[in-house]
Amino acid sequence: QVQLVESGGGLVQAGGSLRLSCAGSGDTACISTMGWYRQAPGKERELVAAISNGGSPYYTNPAKGRFTISRDSAENMVYLQMNNLRPEDTAAYYCSASPAPREVCGMTTYWGKGTLVTVSL
């Protein structure tokens, strides 16, 4: 099993920055692509950014130009640097990890419990 623990959320004014961190533990050999999702009140969970084992990032439109995803595979960490935050970025942010293609890893995405980001005007 893989455990993911997020940190770094908080309250910030619009235009400010936050850096989210996610620490992976357990059977870390099962961690493949890692990503950040978010879920605002009353809305569905959505992908923000993802990064492959090789370090290739992918961003969805809300993150492009403002957020940067990075990872330290040796430490099983993934980060999300968020700049120029807007009130619409307010959400619970969740770390995710896709399972590596090994039978022992299963087929279910691993999730953290989330960290809350609140952006005020």
Side-chain angles (χ1 to χ4, degrees):
Q1 291 295 322
V2 171
Q3 294 79 44
L4 301 173
V5 179
E6 304 95 337
S7 60
L11 174 63
V12 64
Q13 287 189 325
S17 299
L18 281 175
R19 188 190 193 215
L20 305 183
S21 300
C22 172
S25 62
D27 193 355
T28 55
C30 284
I31 294 176
S32 181
T33 296
M34 300 188 79
W36 288 95
Y37 286 72
R38 69 185 185 185
Q39 187 168 18
K43 294 189 176 181
E44 293 187 354
R45 191 172 297 189
E46 63 174 355
L47 176 65
V48 176
I51 188 165
S52 69
N53 260 336
S56 296
Y58 169 80
Y59 300 98
T60 59
N61 285 337
K64 289 179 180 177
R66 299 187 300 130
F67 297 177
T68 302
I69 190 169
S70 60
R71 73 187 286 174
D72 182 341
S73 294
E75 297 295 329
N76 301 300
M77 298 287 297
V78 65
Y79 306 96
L80 186 68
Q81 177 67 43
M82 304 187 294
N83 299 327
N84 192 21
L85 283 161
R86 306 164 180 165
E88 53 264 40
D89 295 316
T90 294
Y93 284 72
Y94 296 90
C95 177
S96 72
S98 300
R102 297 165 50 203
E103 186 174 357
V104 68
C105 299
M107 300 180 66
T108 304
T109 298
Y110 306 109
W111 293 97
K113 293 184 178 180
T115 185
L116 186 60
V117 172
T118 303
V119 184
S120 64
L121 288 170

